[in-house]
């Protein structure tokens, strides 16, 4: 009789005879005292051994994804900035003033580094202007 009155812990529910507790499996969860396992549906999820249906994992994955995208864009923008510096040196060495004047630094091309690319470009133009 004491088995019938005992509440099951987190992740467990009473079996059909209420004599023992059985675990919730898969994407099912139960809070202490629940009589039935509940489905944990996307975007909430249960990971590992925890019996915790939460959207925290989804938000952490999204945050990690956006941080990764941000990092990749920052690295590629930095590489583009380095290429711009080399190109400006070649243009200046070749004295191709028309190409130097036509060169622009756009947000789409340099992203986070646009301000620095614009500064490099304007510095190179001022340098050429002061030498002539």
């Amino acid at each position: 009789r004491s088995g019938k009155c005992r509440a099951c812990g987190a992740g467990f529910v009473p079996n059909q005879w209420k004599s023992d507790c059985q675990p919730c499996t898969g994407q099912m969860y139960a809070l202490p005292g629940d009589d039935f396992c509940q489905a944990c549906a996307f975007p909430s999820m249960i990971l590992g051994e925890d019996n915790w249906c939460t959207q925290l994992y989804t938000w952490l994955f999204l945050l990690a994804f956006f941080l990764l995208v941000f990092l990749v864009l920052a690295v590629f923008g930095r590489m583009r900035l380095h290429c711009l510096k080399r190109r400006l040196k070649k243009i200046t060495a070749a004295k191709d003033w028309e190409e130097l004047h036509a060169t622009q630094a756009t947000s789409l091309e340099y992203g986070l580094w646009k301000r620095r690319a614009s500064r490099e470009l304007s510095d190179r133009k001022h340098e050429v202007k002061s030498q002539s």
Side-chain angles (χ1 to χ4, degrees):
R1 185 166 192 168
S2 64
K4 292 181 182 179
C5 296
R6 186 179 58 125
C8 296
F12 292 87
V13 292
N15 63 8
Q16 61 185 1
W17 300 282
K18 308 254 188 228
S19 61
D20 199 12
C21 296
Q22 64 186 20
C24 295
T25 58
Q27 288 296 313
M28 303 290 280
Y29 74 100
L31 300 174
D34 283 354
D35 290 333
F36 301 100
C37 292
Q38 300 173 40
C40 186
F42 184 82
S44 298
M45 62 180 73
I46 298 172
L47 291 180
E49 299 296 319
D50 296 332
N51 184 57
W52 188 31
C53 184
T54 180
Q55 291 185 8
L56 176 65
Y57 299 116
T58 303
W59 292 113
L60 289 175
F61 288 140
L62 286 173
L63 178 65
F65 173 76
F66 285 119
L67 285 175
L68 179 64
V69 167
F70 180 77
L71 180 66
V72 167
L73 291 176
V75 167
F76 280 115
R78 181 75 173 149
M79 289 170 47
R80 294 286 303 155
L81 179 64
H82 183 69
C83 291
L84 175 68
K85 288 179 182 180
R86 283 190 309 180
R87 194 167 126 234
L88 290 175
K89 285 180 185 177
K90 288 179 183 178
I91 290 171
T92 306
K95 297 184 179 186
D96 189 352
W97 311 134
E98 288 178 19
E99 186 176 350
L100 180 63
H101 184 69
T103 303
Q104 295 180 351
T106 63
S107 295
L108 183 62
E109 191 172 9
Y110 297 101
L112 300 170
W113 302 99
K114 189 230 184 256
R115 197 174 288 158
R116 185 130 179 230
S118 296
R119 190 174 347 123
E120 288 290 333
L121 186 57
S122 65
D123 288 350
R124 186 62 66 164
K125 287 179 181 180
H126 288 309
E127 179 183 318
V128 167
K129 193 174 190 178
S130 67
Q131 288 177 359
S132 57

